[in-house]
Amino acid sequence: MEQHRITPLTESGMLVALSVVMALGALCLPVVGVILALLYALPILVLVVRHGMRWAVMAAAASAVLMAALIEPMVSLRMAISFTPTGLALGIGFRRRWGGVRVFVLALAVSILAKLAALGLLFAVTGVNPLNMELEAVQQTFDASFQMYEGMGVSGEAIDKSRAQIGEGLQFVSMLLPLVVAMMGLLDTAIGYFVGGRVLRRLGHETPALPPFAAWRLPQVFLYVFGFALVGLYWGTTRDIKMLNQAALNLNMLAIFAGMIEGLSLMSYVMDRYRLSRLIRVPIYAMVVLNGTLAQILAFAGLFDMLFDYRRRFGKKDGTDKRS
């Protein structure tokens, strides 16, 4: 029986149309749009793996042109710059069958640089910090909500207190904007890696897998970053050096986040040793992550695990450590 294969041109056309539909949904739909924006690069990823870089680049360009005609050139360019490079990087890694960690780290670096490039483009065109624009939009939303509550009879004292708390929170977030960009890149890369890998496997392609979560080991550099960040916070606060204080705060939060990941991996290792079921694991994870004190303890445990490797020590005690 003769099998009909889809040509690269036909498949590229279908995936370009899918990219444009997702871009339109990302701009028009309030909540689902965020998910569609993060999935925007998946068609590009699939094209790189199935037909090579040339077809993927042409499809990305065609998608950007169609979006510019249907939406707005600047919005189209921002989306293309923000998300397309991540799909290309993941596609290259999958196509060349690199290891899972190598593919993920490469795509993460490319994604962060792409986000910075898109923000830089917007700043060059408008002359306004785009991140500050987002914070101003959030502030306006809260102001409108406060006006509504005031009209409903809520006391002015309570509204002023809430407004002050939100103002302090937004000021804190404004200091963490570099970390926010990095987290955006991480989220984009994680969704592209896991969802894209699942799609490719459904299409019959082999994709590299990351190590089991219980075996994740992050570099020790995060522990040193945490120490240097504490020194930077002290100097920046006592000497009133705002740039140093902001940089140290971002590095401190980045190190704590890395410690949380390592700590959760260590928790997963301990649960594997005691063979806890998923029904029990999920509430434990939720309790630790949602409790501020427990989350900090877990983050510190993860940071020190980068140096001392508690898993190797546990394995040596009962002779189950098989790592070299």
Side-chain angles (χ1 to χ4, degrees):
M1 183 176 178
E2 184 180 358
Q3 293 182 351
H4 298 280
R5 245 182 115 182
I6 300 177
T7 64
L9 180 60
T10 304
E11 189 167 1
S12 298
M14 292 189 296
L15 292 176
V16 165
L18 179 60
S19 295
V20 174
V21 170
M22 287 194 295
L24 291 172
L27 295 173
C28 300
L29 301 177
V31 177
V32 182
V34 177
I35 301 175
L36 292 176
L38 294 171
L39 296 175
Y40 172 78
L42 285 185
I44 306 301
L45 187 161
V46 172
L47 276 175
V48 174
V49 175
R50 290 175 63 82
H51 303 297
M53 179 67 74
R54 183 169 64 92
W55 285 101
V57 172
M58 289 191 298
S63 175
V65 171
L66 286 174
M67 283 193 302
L70 295 173
I71 310 171
E72 183 183 344
M74 182 55 64
V75 175
S76 168
L77 191 58
R78 283 177 56 196
M79 285 202 67
I81 294 176
S82 296
F83 299 106
T84 300
T86 309
L88 294 175
L90 288 171
I92 291 173
F94 288 159
R95 185 178 177 87
R96 297 183 179 179
R97 297 184 179 180
W98 291 342
V101 175
R102 183 182 179 186
V103 173
F104 192 90
V105 172
L106 170 68
L108 175 59
V110 170
S111 180
I112 293 174
L113 291 175
K115 303 296 183 294
L116 292 174
L119 293 173
L121 173 66
L122 186 60
F123 178 75
V125 173
T126 62
V128 180
N129 188 335
L131 297 175
N132 289 338
M133 291 172 55
E134 297 292 337
L135 290 177
E136 290 176 1
V138 174
Q139 182 66 59
Q140 291 175 1
T141 302
F142 280 116
D143 289 340
S145 300
F146 290 141
Q147 291 178 0
M148 180 183 68
Y149 291 143
E150 189 174 1
M152 294 171 60
V154 179
S155 65
E157 183 179 353
I159 292 177
D160 292 338
K161 184 178 180 181
S162 299
R163 183 179 282 111
Q165 292 176 347
I166 291 174
E168 292 176 358
L170 291 177
Q171 185 178 3
F172 181 73
V173 170
S174 67
M175 295 185 66
L176 294 176
L177 288 179
L179 182 63
V180 171
V181 174
M183 291 298 103
M184 289 169 56
L186 177 61
L187 182 61
D188 181 23
T189 304
I191 290 179
Y193 185 93
F194 292 109
V195 179
R198 187 178 182 85
V199 170
L200 288 171
R201 286 191 293 273
R202 293 291 298 271
L203 294 175
H205 297 273
E206 294 183 1
T207 57
L210 291 172
F213 184 58
W216 282 21
R217 296 271 297 136
L218 298 184
Q220 295 180 6
V221 66
F222 287 109
L223 178 60
Y224 304 128
V225 167
F226 178 72
F228 287 128
L230 292 179
V231 176
L233 284 172
Y234 174 76
W235 283 354
T237 303
T238 56
R239 292 166 173 79
D240 196 21
I241 307 174
K242 293 184 178 180
M243 291 189 63
L244 176 60
N245 192 37
Q246 182 176 7
L249 180 62
N250 281 271
L251 291 175
N252 180 68
M253 296 301 295
L254 176 63
I256 290 177
F257 178 77
M260 278 286 298
I261 300 298
E262 181 91 5
L264 289 171
S265 174
L266 181 61
M267 277 184 58
S268 179
Y269 172 81
V270 173
M271 291 179 184
D272 285 345
R273 284 172 59 88
Y274 290 100
R275 299 179 180 179
L276 297 182
S277 66
R278 183 172 298 182
L279 187 63
I280 300 176
R281 294 186 185 207
V282 173
I284 294 177
Y285 281 131
M287 179 183 66
V288 172
V289 172
L290 297 177
N291 186 294
T293 303
L294 294 178
Q296 289 184 6
I297 294 174
L298 182 68
F300 288 132
L303 287 171
F304 285 106
D305 180 59
M306 297 175 191
L307 182 62
F308 297 110
D309 193 358
Y310 298 123
R311 280 165 276 204
R312 180 179 291 275
R313 294 170 180 267
F314 293 154
K316 285 182 178 179
K317 285 184 178 180
D318 56 10
T320 58
D321 186 14
K322 300 180 180 180
R323 291 181 295 179
S324 58

